[in-house]
Amino acid sequence: MIVETARLLIRELTEDDAPFVLRLTNEPSFIANIADKGIRNLDDAVEFLREGAWTNQKIPGYGQFVVELKEDRSATGICGLLYRENLEVTDIGFALLPEYWGHGYAFEAAEAVLEYGHSELGAGPIVGLTTEDNLPSIKLLEKLGMRFQKTVQMSDDDPGTAVYG
């Protein structure tokens, strides 16, 4: 267990989470606002969990974590810390399945993961990265106390990624 909140359990991802990862990464909102990870079946999801950046960060304690409801252990989404070498910053990332939007779970998870990053991992400044038109993520980052800093290009085909810190 990484952290527990009033309503949520936040834990490391395992290969048993492959069906959840397959569903989350193929949600239209995930593809539009984060990326198409190319995960098309359970084998792809297992491989992604074994080899991908969500579970294989160079800094101990970093990665994406599964966010579960305490009441029934339903996986609602992910939230975690990734080190972005090209920007030399720690980024908080989050994504929830659509049926869990609007309940405050993303804020509750992100606030807890930020605290974990600072108090348990000794992380320096943590930023949020989002597309410039992803208003729900921008609102969440602002609710966490972050403000727009600049726009960067994460790759050659990136039209622009907003950095909040």
Side-chain angles (χ1 to χ4, degrees), residues 94-134:
F94 45 83
L96 267 64
L97 293 168
E99 63 265 33
Y100 296 105
W101 296 353
H103 300 282
Y105 298 134
F107 176 76
E108 188 172 329
E111 188 175 50
V113 168
L114 282 173
E115 174 62 26
Y116 161 79
H118 291 302
S119 66
E120 299 297 319
L121 302 179
I126 298 173
V127 303
L129 303 174
T130 187
T131 57
E132 295 177 311
D133 60 351
N134 186 346

Side-chain angles (χ1 to χ4, degrees), residues 128-133 138 141 148-152 158 160-164:
L129 303 174
T130 187
T131 57
E132 295 177 311
D133 60 351
I138 290 168
L141 293 170
F148 175 80
Q149 293 183 335
K150 61 184 174 182
T151 300
V152 298
D158 179 8
T161 297
V163 179
Y164 282 73

Side-chain angles (χ1 to χ4, degrees), residues 13 22 31 49 111:
L13 285 158
L22 174 63
I31 292 169
L49 288 166
E111 188 175 50

Side-chain angles (χ1 to χ4, degrees), residues 40-165:
R40 300 295 180 253
N41 55 51
L42 283 177
D43 289 339
D44 291 345
V46 169
E47 182 69 17
F48 179 77
L49 288 166
R50 283 186 189 146
E51 306 296 330
W54 285 8
T55 55
N56 292 290
Q57 287 285 297
K58 291 180 182 177
I59 302 172
Y62 277 50
Q64 285 291 8
F65 311 120
V66 66
V67 177
E68 297 177 330
L69 294 179
K70 263 188 188 179
E71 65 187 39
D72 63 6
R73 302 294 300 256
S74 297
T76 66
I78 55 159
C79 186
L81 301 172
L82 302 174
Y83 186 74
R84 304 293 184 167
E85 288 186 41
N86 55 336
L87 299 176
E88 297 180 347
V89 297
T90 298
D91 164 38
I92 185 164
F94 45 83
L96 267 64
L97 293 168
E99 63 265 33
Y100 296 105
W101 296 353
H103 300 282
Y105 298 134
F107 176 76
E108 188 172 329
E111 188 175 50
V113 168
L114 282 173
E115 174 62 26
Y116 161 79
H118 291 302
S119 66
E120 299 297 319
L121 302 179
I126 298 173
V127 303
L129 303 174
T130 187
T131 57
E132 295 177 311
D133 60 351
N134 186 346
L135 297 181
S137 287
I138 290 168
K139 285 176 66 176
L140 176 57
L141 293 170
E142 289 176 344
K143 189 174 180 181
L144 290 166
M146 296 184 186
R147 298 293 172 254
F148 175 80
Q149 293 183 335
K150 61 184 174 182
T151 300
V152 298
Q153 224 179 337
M154 299 293 288
S155 64
D156 290 339
D157 62 344
D158 179 8
T161 297
V163 179
Y164 282 73

